[in-house]
Amino acid sequence: MLRSIEQSVTSFIVKWMSLVIIFSLIIIGYSIFTLASSLNDAEMINASSSLRTQIYRITIDVKTNDVHTLQHIDDFEDTLYGPTMRQLNNWWVPNNISAYYRQLVLDWKSIKRTLISQHNVSLTQQVDPYIRYIEQFEYKLQHYNERKLTTLAWVAALCLSGVILICLVVVRYTRNEIVKPLKRLSQASQNVREGKFDVSLSGQPHNELGELMVVFNGMSQELGQLYQGLEIAVDEKTRHLRMANQSLQVLYQSSQELSSSRLTVENFQVILDYFCSLEGVISAEVQVIDAGGQGLTLHAGERYAEYSLHRELSVDGVLLGYLRWKEGLPCPDKILIKNFLHIFEQAIHYAKSQKQSEQLLLLEERATIARELHDSLAQSLSYLKIQVSLLKRSMLADDHETLQASANPVIAELDTGLSSAYKQLRELLTTFRLTLKESSFGQALNEVVDQLRARTSAIINLDNLLVSFELSAQQQVHLVQLIREATINAIKHAQASHITIYCGEENGVVTVYIKDDGIGFSDPPSKVNHYGMNIMYERAQRLGGQLHIDSEPNQGCKVSITYPANKKGDLS
């Protein structure tokens, strides 16, 4: 609360400065007055000296009967009654000086009557005292002039002393009531700047600065409270940011576990450990349901017989498992718990989908192997079985020549069939043993083409414009197998010098072709009788596309595969 100002700095300064002005006016006024009254002092002294000289001359004139006596008397009276001497009748002239002047006038009148009567004895008796009186009058004038100057000096000294005293009082007041409080305010402001709000300015002066110090004390206390509140708020925000950072880090690390090529029990345990590391989570347990089998249960933290909190883990309404945990203080973030529930759901769903995909891929490959064995090697073995039956019948003949004639063609057919079956088996094994060591389709295709270049003298040009990220793993395998099989056929049968491999996409259609400049053929080989053609047609169908073979004798051959692009990278 503001207090009343008992003595304003402005009023104090004005009061004492007014005294300085008064003293200044006094000394200036008195100086002007002294100067004005002293303007004719020298002339008065000269006039008094002149009166003494003129009275001597008049006395001599009377004694010598000079004809100019009357003229000299007029001159004396002009001096005695002149304006300079009449100023001695002013009010500021001391009474003794004025009385001396009036006495001079009266004495002169008496002397003048004597002069007119020309009584020399009486004149001498009157003139001598009159001259001495003039000399005393002259001395009085000089003394009066000196006294005025002395008085002026004293007045000036007194006024100057008063001004100096007032200045000392003002300086002392300024030092004690203004400068010192300002220094204390400055030091207190520096303390507040350094964060030291426990300042209290005591002994306030009863002026505006005292009021300012009271306001400053209240302001520093309020700032201290605000700063303390701000520190608490900043600490709270920092704690929340630290928790948010920790949460983001834990979520990121947990999400990194989902990026593994194959999710294992160790990945689930790491995610559960991350969940248990959250602030406020004491213990956790995750249970994965396995229909028709023993489920998987993992623990993190201290184990409990019962958990106070649990949530179901499900995707698209399918129950995948349960997450149970126990909380402590401070309570964990509910949104973070919800995010971890989604992570566990996605991890379990991804792991199961991954296993299903692997199983389907394995079944597809097994079906492919079975069909190829049935279409190629099984037929050759059936043919060999028929030839063995014919050979057995031929062995029943009694005649050796007849036996040899009938057995030789069969043996030749058996030899040809065995060679064909062995060749088919090697091609199938080579096809099924192909693996993609590189995750990128372009790198895998380059590696396969480099292997094929080592097997032929023909120049193989590769132009791949497909984006690996847009191709699924199955699509990459089927395309590499198709390109490899078609290129091997060109190397073996086409007698080509140049082989071109192109992979690209245009208007949502993926086009792959293998083109050579070999001998070509008029009719394409049948799928049944040509090695590897069954697999090529089947792989094209799995891609959802078609396989085309264009060839003319001595015009080379072009094997084309086209199928609609699937940006999601999944096969229907």
Side-chain angles (χ1 to χ4, degrees):
M1 181 177 180
L2 297 179
R3 63 182 184 179
S4 61
I5 301 175
E6 298 180 4
Q7 186 178 17
S8 173
V9 174
T10 304
S11 62
F12 180 86
I13 298 297
V14 168
K15 180 175 65 177
W16 287 96
M17 288 299 103
S18 299
L19 291 178
V20 172
I21 294 173
I22 291 173
F23 280 122
S24 300
L25 291 176
I26 291 174
I27 190 172
I28 292 173
Y30 192 77
S31 298
I32 293 174
F33 171 75
T34 303
L35 178 63
S37 63
S38 300
L39 290 176
N40 297 321
D41 285 354
E43 189 176 354
M44 288 180 185
I45 294 173
N46 291 333
S48 62
S49 298
S50 175
L51 289 175
R52 186 181 55 181
T53 304
Q54 288 177 9
I55 198 64
Y56 276 125
R57 186 175 60 182
I58 291 172
T59 302
I60 295 172
D61 289 339
V62 171
K63 290 179 179 182
T64 59
N65 294 318
D66 193 337
V67 293
H68 299 291
T69 301
L70 293 177
Q71 179 65 35
H72 292 160
I73 291 173
D74 292 337
D75 293 339
F76 180 85
E77 288 182 349
D78 289 340
T79 302
L80 180 64
Y81 299 122
T84 300
M85 298 301 291
R86 282 201 305 268
Q87 290 182 2
L88 295 174
N89 294 322
N90 292 330
W91 60 269
W92 63 78
V93 178
N95 292 329
N96 59 344
I97 301 298
S98 299
Y100 260 90
Y101 174 67
R102 288 192 294 271
Q103 188 63 40
L104 282 176
V105 173
L106 292 176
D107 290 345
W108 166 249
K109 290 179 179 181
S110 176
I111 293 172
K112 183 177 181 181
R113 285 194 297 269
T114 303
L115 290 174
I116 294 173
S117 64
Q118 295 183 353
H119 192 277
N120 294 331
V121 177
S122 297
L123 180 62
T124 302
Q125 292 177 353
Q126 289 180 344
V127 168
D128 291 338
Y130 190 70
I131 293 174
R132 288 193 296 271
Y133 195 79
I134 292 175
E135 290 178 353
Q136 291 177 2
F137 175 70
E138 184 179 0
Y139 172 75
K140 289 290 184 181
L141 288 177
Q142 292 178 355
H143 181 71
Y144 168 59
N145 187 35
E146 292 175 356
R147 189 173 59 186
K148 285 195 298 183
L149 295 177
T150 303
T151 304
L152 177 62
W154 276 105
V155 171
L158 290 175
C159 291
L160 182 59
S161 300
V163 170
I164 293 174
L165 181 61
I166 292 172
C167 292
L168 292 176
V169 172
V170 172
V171 168
R172 182 177 181 276
Y173 177 83
T174 304
R175 177 184 177 187
N176 295 332
E177 304 295 329
I178 298 178
V179 176
K180 287 184 178 180
L182 284 177
K183 287 184 177 179
R184 292 167 61 192
L185 280 171
S186 177
Q187 183 62 37
S189 301
Q190 184 66 27
N191 292 336
V192 171
R193 181 182 179 184
E194 295 174 357
K196 302 175 184 178
F197 298 99
D198 54 341
V199 294
S200 179
L201 298 174
S202 58
Q204 299 92 350
H206 300 285
N207 53 28
E208 290 87 345
L209 289 177
E211 180 182 356
L212 179 61
M213 294 171 74
V214 172
V215 174
F216 186 87
N217 287 336
M219 182 194 67
S220 62
Q221 293 177 1
E222 293 180 1
L223 282 177
Q225 295 175 358
L226 291 175
Y227 186 79
Q228 186 178 6
L230 184 62
E231 280 188 336
I232 294 174
V234 169
D235 292 340
E236 185 68 19
K237 289 293 184 181
T238 303
R239 188 178 70 84
H240 284 304
L241 288 175
R242 190 182 299 111
M243 291 178 59
N245 184 39
Q246 179 188 8
S247 302
L248 289 175
Q249 186 176 4
V250 169
L251 285 176
Y252 173 75
Q253 293 172 346
S254 301
S255 301
Q256 288 295 105
E257 295 296 325
L258 297 179
S259 63
S260 300
S261 59
R262 181 180 180 84
L263 290 180
T264 61
V265 177
E266 288 76 10
N267 297 116
F268 282 97
Q269 185 64 52
V270 170
I271 297 176
L272 188 62
D273 291 336
Y274 285 143
F275 177 74
C276 193
S277 67
L278 296 178
E279 188 176 13
V281 178
I282 301 175
S283 177
E285 176 186 272
V286 64
Q287 179 183 0
V288 180
I289 297 177
D290 187 6
Q294 181 67 29
L296 174 65
T297 302
L298 299 176
H299 299 273
E302 185 178 355
R303 294 192 179 188
Y304 291 89
E306 295 183 358
Y307 290 88
S308 58
L309 299 171
H310 70 280
R311 293 289 186 275
E312 291 183 355
L313 303 176
S314 61
V315 174
D316 297 332
V318 179
L319 183 62
L320 302 177
Y322 298 93
L323 177 63
R324 305 179 182 90
W325 71 94
K326 188 174 182 62
E327 295 182 356
L329 294 177
C331 296
D333 189 1
K334 302 301 180 184
I335 299 178
L336 189 58
I337 297 293
K338 186 177 180 180
N339 290 330
F340 262 98
L341 289 174
H342 291 317
I343 290 177
F344 277 112
E345 290 171 347
Q346 295 299 324
I348 297 174
H349 179 69
Y350 177 66
K352 290 187 175 183
S353 300
Q354 191 179 44
K355 286 189 176 182
Q356 291 176 357
S357 178
E358 291 175 353
Q359 292 172 356
L360 290 176
L361 184 60
L362 181 61
L363 291 176
E364 288 179 359
E365 290 300 322
R366 287 183 176 179
T368 301
I369 294 173
R371 283 193 294 270
E372 290 301 322
L373 290 176
H374 176 270
D375 293 341
S376 59
L377 189 59
Q379 292 182 5
S380 297
L381 293 178
S382 296
Y383 174 74
L384 291 177
K385 183 178 180 181
I386 294 173
Q387 295 299 325
V388 170
S389 298
L390 293 175
L391 180 61
K392 287 182 179 180
R393 291 180 183 179
S394 300
M395 295 296 293
L396 296 176
D398 295 335
D399 188 1
H400 179 69
E401 293 181 358
T402 303
L403 176 61
Q404 185 176 5
S406 60
N408 284 336
V410 174
I411 292 173
E413 290 292 336
L414 286 174
D415 183 61
T416 303
L418 286 173
S419 298
S420 177
Y422 180 70
K423 187 175 182 181
Q424 292 179 24
L425 180 60
R426 288 191 60 183
E427 289 187 1
L428 288 175
L429 290 176
T430 302
T431 300
F432 295 138
R433 286 175 179 173
L434 177 64
T435 59
L436 299 182
K437 297 180 181 179
E438 303 294 340
S439 60
S440 170
F441 170 74
Q443 293 178 342
L445 184 59
N446 283 325
E447 183 178 350
V448 171
V449 171
D450 289 339
Q451 294 175 0
L452 295 176
R453 286 191 179 111
R455 297 173 55 177
T456 180
S457 59
I459 298 175
I460 301 177
N461 297 319
L462 174 61
D463 186 13
N464 176 33
L465 304 179
L466 294 179
V467 180
S468 300
F469 184 75
E470 297 177 354
L471 300 175
S472 66
Q474 292 90 339
Q475 288 175 330
Q476 295 183 24
V477 170
H478 291 320
L479 287 176
V480 172
Q481 292 282 19
L482 282 168
I483 293 172
R484 180 180 180 280
E485 185 65 30
T487 306
I488 288 177
N489 288 337
I491 292 174
K492 288 183 177 181
H493 308 293
Q495 302 178 14
S497 59
H498 291 84
I499 300 174
T500 302
I501 302 173
Y502 171 80
C503 303
E505 178 186 348
E506 185 176 359
N507 297 327
V509 177
V510 176
T511 301
V512 177
Y513 65 78
I514 299 90
K515 182 179 180 182
D516 63 73
D517 58 353
I519 60 176
F521 47 84
S522 58
D523 295 324
S526 64
K527 294 190 292 182
V528 177
N529 296 328
H530 193 273
Y531 306 126
M533 293 303 297
N534 282 343
I535 298 176
M536 293 176 64
Y537 279 104
E538 185 174 347
R539 291 190 185 279
Q541 292 175 0
R542 288 186 183 179
L543 290 171
Q546 296 179 349
L547 178 70
H548 300 280
I549 300 177
D550 299 322
S551 180
E552 294 291 339
N554 298 322
Q555 298 296 324
C557 177
K558 181 179 180 181
V559 179
S560 303
I561 304 98
T562 58
Y563 68 92
N566 187 353
K567 298 297 182 181
K568 295 183 179 179
D570 295 329
L571 290 176
S572 60

